[in-house]
Amino acid sequence: MNIRERRDEILRLLDEKDYITVEELALGLGVSLVTIRSDLANLEQKGVLKRTHGGAKLVEKKSLSRLISKTIFEFEKEKDAISRLASTFVEEGNTVIVDTGSTTFHVAKYLSGKGVTMVTGSLLAIESVMDDESIEVLVLGGMLRRYSKGSIGTFACSELGQINADILFMGASGYTDSCLYCSNVIEAETKRAMIRSAGTVCLLADSSKAGKKAFASICSWSDIDIFVCDKISDEMRKELESKGVRIFIAE
């Protein structure tokens, strides 16, 4: 286990419990207390966790990270319509990256018959095409993020770095006129790896995400080629189009 993998594992363990001690981490990861303290200092410097006396806790509040099992039923019609429209940008034989999230997983079911390769860490997307042999599925490995039912982290980023996809369908927890956000730093890093691996980046987000910030910044609008939503204000539309973003409204 290298340094990055060990630090990802520390965050995974913290994601499962509110607090963990230096001794627990050292014993579980098979390294010294000095090494763990160095790891925690590095992660604290990045703003991911907060060191306490003898241990650490996540800066991210679990109460702010909403389970996908709850969000999946919110604005469901809008999310489905957004994904159906987004799927029309896919051409036969394309390699498509499908992000984790309660909107993007809907895209998977609209890929049937297109002869595509779908790259994803989303367990929901995988499940939706499990019996569809027309879709080749490449499953990303990594750390399981239970909130989103998907894999994130070092392994996922490494695998993404080895592919060149035609299009990415990406989700976000919120967006402003300058930035896109999600609720987890490692998840944001994984999304950026997806962006680097895709020729076209398509953001899917319903209007409830507008004007909302979350814990981690993903990217600016300069990284987004297409934005598919259910509605958008004239002011926001003008601002995003000035940045070169093509906007499509799902009916």
Side-chain angles (χ1 to χ4, degrees):
M1 184 180 292
N2 62 34
I3 294 175
R4 287 191 63 188
E5 292 167 356
R6 188 176 66 247
R7 290 174 181 173
D8 277 358
E9 179 64 10
I10 289 171
L11 293 175
R12 186 191 71 78
L13 291 169
L14 278 170
D15 204 35
E16 293 182 343
K17 52 202 313 187
D18 294 326
Y19 173 80
I20 195 165
T21 67
V22 172
E23 288 77 10
E24 285 179 282
L25 288 170
L27 182 61
L29 298 175
V31 294
S32 69
L33 297 176
V34 173
T35 296
I36 291 298
R37 291 192 181 100
S38 175
D39 288 337
L40 296 181
N42 177 272
L43 293 170
E44 184 178 47
Q45 194 172 36
K46 291 180 178 178
V48 182
L49 58 75
K50 181 175 179 59
R51 285 189 293 173
T52 62
H53 181 68
K57 61 182 181 179
L58 284 180
V59 171
E60 177 187 3
K61 302 298 183 183
K62 291 189 176 184
S63 60
L64 301 180
S65 297
R66 305 187 61 215
L67 288 169
I68 196 171
S69 58
K70 294 181 180 179
T71 61
I72 198 172
F73 298 112
E74 298 174 349
F75 301 95
E76 188 172 8
K77 290 182 179 179
E78 289 84 353
K79 291 173 180 178
D80 185 74
I82 288 168
S83 294
R84 184 170 63 249
L85 174 56
S87 70
T88 64
F89 303 132
V90 178
E91 298 180 359
E92 185 175 357
N94 277 175
T95 296
V96 180
I97 301 175
V98 176
D99 191 11
T100 58
S102 62
T103 302
T104 49
F105 95 94
H106 285 285
V107 173
K109 64 188 176 188
Y110 292 114
L111 299 179
S112 183
K114 293 180 180 285
V116 302
T117 297
M118 182 178 77
V119 181
T120 189
S122 168
L123 299 183
L124 294 174
I126 294 166
E127 184 178 19
S128 71
V129 301
M130 188 69 72
D131 299 320
D132 190 341
E133 296 184 5
S134 72
I135 301 175
E136 192 75 26
V137 182
L138 175 60
V139 181
L140 294 172
M143 178 175 70
L144 175 64
R145 180 157 168 73
R146 289 176 172 81
Y147 290 104
S148 61
K149 291 190 176 180
S151 57
I152 59 174
T154 302
F155 290 126
C157 291
S158 176
E159 291 167 353
L160 286 163
Q162 299 177 57
I163 67 170
N164 294 297
D166 296 288
I167 189 167
L168 158 64
F169 294 114
M170 187 178 78
S173 299
Y175 63 87
T176 63
D177 60 3
S178 60
C179 191
L180 282 61
Y181 302 90
C182 68
S183 62
N184 181 276
V185 172
I186 301 179
E187 185 175 26
E189 181 182 11
T190 307
K191 289 178 187 287
R192 288 192 290 271
M194 291 179 180
I195 290 171
R196 291 192 294 271
S197 297
T200 298
V201 179
C202 180
L203 173 70
L204 312 184
D206 65 79
S207 53
S208 70
K209 310 289 179 61
K212 291 185 177 179
K213 294 183 179 181
F215 179 73
S217 299
I218 302 170
C219 64
S220 68
W221 285 99
S222 62
D223 292 309
I224 306 300
D225 301 297
I226 300 171
F227 178 31
V228 186
C229 57
D230 57 315
K231 60 183 178 181
I232 187 171
S233 69
D234 292 339
E235 183 181 0
M236 178 72 80
R237 180 168 195 152
K238 184 178 180 180
E239 177 67 24
L240 298 188
E241 287 180 337
S242 72
K243 297 177 180 180
V245 181
R246 295 163 58 200
I247 297 173
F248 295 84
I249 309 297
E251 299 294 337

